Structure formats: C-alpha cells, structure tokens
Amino acid sequence: MTETESIAYDVVVLGAGPVGENVADRTRAAGLSTAVVESELVGGECSYWACMPSKALLRPVIAQADARRLPGLRQAVQGPLDAAAVLARRDDYTSHWHDDGQVRWLDGIGAVLYRGHGRLAGSRTVTVTGPEGEHHVLTARHAVAVCTGTRALLPGLPGLADVGPWTSREATSAKAVPGRLVVVGGGVVATEMATAWQALGSQVTVLVRGKGLLSRMEPFAGELVAEALTEAGADVRTGTSVESVTRENGTVVVVTDKGDRIEADEILFATGRAPRTDDLGLDTIGLEPGSWLPVDDSLRVTGSDWLYAVGDVNHRALLTHQGKYQARIAGAAIAARAAGVPVLETDPWGAHAATADQAAVPQVVFTDPEAAAVGLSLAEAEQAGHRVRGVDVEMSSVAGAGLYADGYRGRARMVVDLDREILLGVTLVGPGVGELIHSATVAVAGEVPIGRLWHAVPSYPTISEVWLRLLEAYRG
C-alpha cells in the first residue's frame, strides 16, 4: 500500500450516485473545489440497479397493456413480449454497467473523482483506499457530504444466504426470465418487479405480510394494482409471512405461516432498505456505524457544522428525485456558508430548506395501472391533526380516459385542508397517470388556493380533466 500526502478540497462528497453528482454539480457551480469518492459505478444505484433498468423493463409491459385496450391495435399485440429484446434494451439503458459517460460528466464539471472505499477519519477528513490498495487522505475546508444511499435489507431467515435470494439489484439486472418467481413484499419494488416479470413470462407469486399492496398510498391504489396483477396471472396472497426458504436441487422452496409450500426458480425479497453507513468511519466522529443520519432542513447532520447527509441515507424520503432535490438544497447551503452568508434562508420553502421532504413528496409506481401520489394521504392528514376532506372521482368520468383506453379503470383523490382551502395531497391511479402527477405537485407545493385552481382550465379531451371533476365534486 502506498500513501499520498493529504489533499485539501472545499467539499468532499462520499458517493457518486445521482445525489452525490448533484451535490458536486451545485458546489462546483458555486466555484468550490470538489472531490467525489465512489466505490462502485459513477451513477449509483439508480442508474444501474434501480430506476433506469426497472423502468426499461416496465415500459414495454405498459405499452403492450395500453395497446391491448385499443380496438384496431389489440389483435396486433396479442403475442408474448420479446423478452430477449426487452432485456437488451434494459442493458442499453444501464450502459451495460459501464460508467464511462458518467465519469466524463463529472470531469466536465471539474470535480475530481477518487475510485475506492471512502471512510471518515475524524473531523473534515476522508481516507480513500483505492482498487489497487492506493491510499489517499482528503480534507474538506467546508463540508463533507455523505451520499452513500441504501442497500436492500434481507430478513433474518436461517440459511437464507445459501438460497441465493434476489434483492432489487438481481431483479433489475437478471439475464434471463425465471420460469417461476416468488416476490416477498408489497411495496414499490415488489409490485413493479412482479408486474415486469409476470409480463415477461414468469409465473409470479406475491407474498404480502400486510393487508394489501402499496400500504403507504391511499388504500385504493394497492387494491387496483392487486386486481390487475391477478388478472395478468400473478398469484397475490396478502396476510402471508414466510416461515422458511430453502433451495433443493436448484428449486427454491418457500413455506408460509399458513403452511403452504411454494416452489420457484428464484425468490425476490423486497422488504426494506438499510443505510450504507456500516463501514463509513462514523465512529471516528461519535456517530453509530450502520445508522441513519438525522439532519436539519439544510441537510446538515444534527450536531455538526461540516457534515451533511443527503439522499436516502438521512431517511427523509427514499426516492431518487427527492434525493436530487435535497442535493440542490444542500449544495446551495454549503455554498452560502462557505461564502460567509450570515443567515441562511431556512424558513419553510426557503432556498436552503428541503421543505418538500415533509409537505410535497411525489412518487410514481410504474405498475399497470400506474399509481401516483404527492403530499399526504387522507389518513396521514387526519393523523397530523388537519381538518380535511377527501374528494374522490372515478377516472372513467373523464372523456380523455375513455379515449386513452377502452374500459379505462382508475380513481383520483384530493385531500383538501378545509381551513386554508388548499390541497395537502393528491393520489391518481390509472393508465398514464404518471405524467399527470407534476401538476398535482405544483398545486401542493405552491399551496394554490382552490379558488385559483378553479381558473386552471384543463385541455379537452385529456385525462387532465380529472382536475375539473375533482373541483366540481368538492364545490358541489
């Protein structure tokens, strides 16, 4: 092992996923020298094992489902998907798990990349052990930003490691379609991967410990997705836990708490995430290794004046777009503090406050039908003490929905704060609604009064007319 002298930068970023890239982009734009440390691929989980490959798998599935709902096209798309072509396109979208393009982008903004494992070594100091054993010591004049994200959390079932279970990484990067797949979990990863692999030719069984799918959304979202998965041929079992998993002569054998025995070729556990902070040197600064890192609204770690935790690792909102939003806020805060700005704009919705993490988090689940939501559900709003009313309409009441697809099924809900007459949350379920959710995000984040929304005229005949139906239902 060789050791180099300590090199000083204004900012050191741990992790070169979308979050770390955006922190570096903002600090470089502010003229701060920035080093980025990455142990795997520049571009991170989202680019290679999450958002991009999963959506590349799902897009042909959704397109085929939409086509099958249209006379004149239905008969032309009755055959099975070309799984090999779908997987090849997925590989293109991951750049075949090479990060050359992302590295060029980092070079282009003037950030310095260090490949290897980075660990904190006391205040404002990061040590990097490179792939060839080379050793670097980096010091930060202003900030260290931890952007290391999360990893899949597997349950503590005896012998599970010997089974070779899939996590989200294997599910999005698999080279072949398993004949039979068991999916354990009922959240976003579970529902999306069940949708994709069932359509690509697997016989999928979904085991959900709770009462239904997508439990963090309005109940009707999970109900509609479960109905569609069942109609597609998947076996969805709620209120079911896994008691044991073994692999016998290559076959996965699952025994449930109900005594059912299920055989499969692969099993995917989509049962939660854990922070990538185990071997990060947190103990050298008085923090607990393996823990989530609590932060203030400027993304600065509680009790520190130099350490930031941005993205999933702070457990505020585990979504790529939300992490990138946090990165923009954190980058602005780091730059302002480095410039000696005496008072930052940390009031709600200020330039240095990630207010949307609490008030306006959007999300799209790319199942068939799609489920999209922003802000609070009706139950969350009531639990928070707001005086609210939930307003529901069927998506089929909109002319644009019928034009989009025969037999269009979906539902919309807006949660109205009755005291302020603004929206606290919106949920949309149905084909194509993922492209509608940003209008709801603008309404919620902007706290647009109901009276003003009445003057936001949706174009006819589009599915966006659901806004008019919701407002009419509210006003009576």
Side-chain angles (χ1 to χ4, degrees):
M1 177 182 294
T2 60
E3 183 163 335
T4 64
E5 61 182 311
S6 176
I7 305 173
Y9 294 90
D10 292 323
V11 180
V12 177
V13 179
L14 290 173
V19 176
E21 288 177 325
N22 275 268
V23 171
D25 185 47
R26 292 297 83 213
T27 56
R28 285 298 301 130
L32 300 176
S33 62
T34 302
V36 180
V37 182
E38 176 54 55
S39 62
E40 294 186 285
L41 296 176
V42 175
E45 200 79 13
C46 176
S47 298
Y48 306 103
W49 300 287
C51 317
M52 296 307 290
S54 65
K55 297 342 172 247
L57 290 173
L58 284 158
R59 179 60 197 140
V61 174
I62 303 305
Q64 183 187 54
D66 282 346
R68 286 177 171 175
R69 297 183 182 106
L70 292 173
L73 188 55
R74 182 178 298 126
Q75 295 305 315
V77 292
Q78 282 305 310
L81 286 168
D82 183 340
V86 173
L87 295 179
R89 185 171 185 263
R90 182 273 317 271
D91 292 351
D92 289 342
Y93 266 89
T94 61
S95 301
H96 298 265
W97 291 272
H98 294 292
D99 62 2
D100 308 53
Q102 306 256 24
V103 171
R104 285 194 295 272
W105 181 86
L106 267 186
D107 290 342
I109 66 170
V112 180
L113 173 64
Y114 288 85
R115 288 194 183 274
H117 181 67
R119 298 183 82 255
L120 292 164
S123 178
R124 302 174 188 266
T125 303
V126 172
T127 61
V128 183
T129 303
E132 303 299 325
E134 65 272 27
H135 192 64
H136 303 281
V137 178
L138 313 179
T139 59
R141 299 184 187 95
H142 299 295
V144 173
V146 177
C147 309
T148 50
T150 59
R151 57 177 173 79
L153 185 63
L154 289 170
L157 290 170
L160 183 58
D162 297 329
V163 174
W166 279 11
T167 67
S168 54
R169 283 197 169 197
E170 290 78 19
T172 56
S173 64
K175 298 302 183 183
V177 180
R180 300 162 298 174
L181 174 66
V182 171
V183 177
V184 183
V188 177
V189 172
T191 53
E192 288 189 346
M193 289 299 92
T195 299
W197 290 111
Q198 178 69 36
L200 287 169
S202 289
Q203 175 54 57
V204 173
T205 301
V206 183
L207 305 179
V208 190
R209 184 170 57 183
K211 295 180 180 179
L213 305 179
L214 302 176
S215 60
R216 295 186 179 182
M217 286 186 160
E218 299 285 8
F220 62 81
E223 291 166 5
L224 287 167
V225 170
E227 287 176 11
L229 277 171
T230 301
E231 289 174 4
D235 181 3
V236 180
R237 307 184 190 186
T238 58
T240 303
S241 297
V242 174
E243 290 289 299
S244 69
V245 181
T246 56
R247 192 179 283 273
E248 303 172 7
N249 299 318
T251 298
V252 175
V253 178
V254 181
V255 177
T256 73
D257 59 341
K258 300 180 185 301
D260 296 329
R261 176 187 167 98
I262 305 167
E263 294 187 353
D265 298 288
E266 301 292 349
I267 182 168
L268 163 63
F269 280 92
T271 50
R273 307 290 296 179
R276 291 182 181 271
T277 60
D278 304 78
D279 189 19
L280 205 61
L282 293 182
D283 53 309
T284 68
I285 56 171
L287 297 176
E288 183 68 28
S291 64
W292 302 99
L293 297 176
V295 295
D296 62 20
D297 272 356
S298 72
L299 290 311
R300 191 165 58 175
V301 173
T302 304
S304 174
D305 64 355
W306 59 272
L307 184 64
Y308 292 73
V310 192
D312 286 6
V313 75
N314 62 37
H315 208 233
R316 286 167 67 102
L318 277 65
L319 295 159
T320 296
H321 49 270
Q322 214 64 26
K324 292 166 69 173
Y325 160 72
Q326 291 177 16
R328 297 190 291 271
I329 299 296
I334 291 168
R337 289 178 175 130
V341 174
V343 180
L344 269 61
E345 298 176 39
T346 55
D347 289 339
W349 307 112
H352 308 117
T355 310
D357 284 346
Q358 283 83 33
V361 175
Q363 182 173 23
V364 179
V365 185
F366 292 84
T367 47
D368 177 37
E370 291 178 347
V374 62
L376 302 179
S377 67
L378 180 59
E380 288 170 339
E382 290 172 342
Q383 290 165 6
H386 298 288
R387 194 171 69 90
V388 293
R389 176 184 164 194
V391 181
D392 292 6
V393 299
E394 294 298 316
M395 299 290 290
S396 59
S397 67
V398 178
L403 288 169
Y404 189 95
D406 282 4
Y408 190 106
R409 283 185 294 174
R411 188 172 173 186
R413 170 176 290 175
M414 68 179 188
V415 180
V416 181
D417 183 324
L418 296 174
D419 295 318
R420 301 174 62 195
E421 283 226 314
I422 62 171
L423 303 186
L424 296 180
V426 177
T427 298
L428 304 166
V429 183
V433 299
E435 296 301 334
L436 301 184
I437 198 60
H438 190 60
S439 57
T441 303
V442 171
V444 173
E447 299 181 344
V448 182
I450 291 285
R452 179 58 62 88
L453 281 176
W454 187 251
H455 295 280
V457 182
S459 298
Y460 181 86
T462 67
I463 304 176
S464 291
E465 275 202 308
V466 69
W467 280 105
L468 178 56
R469 299 290 170 261
L470 286 165
L471 293 168
E472 288 173 337
Y474 175 70
R475 287 194 161 193

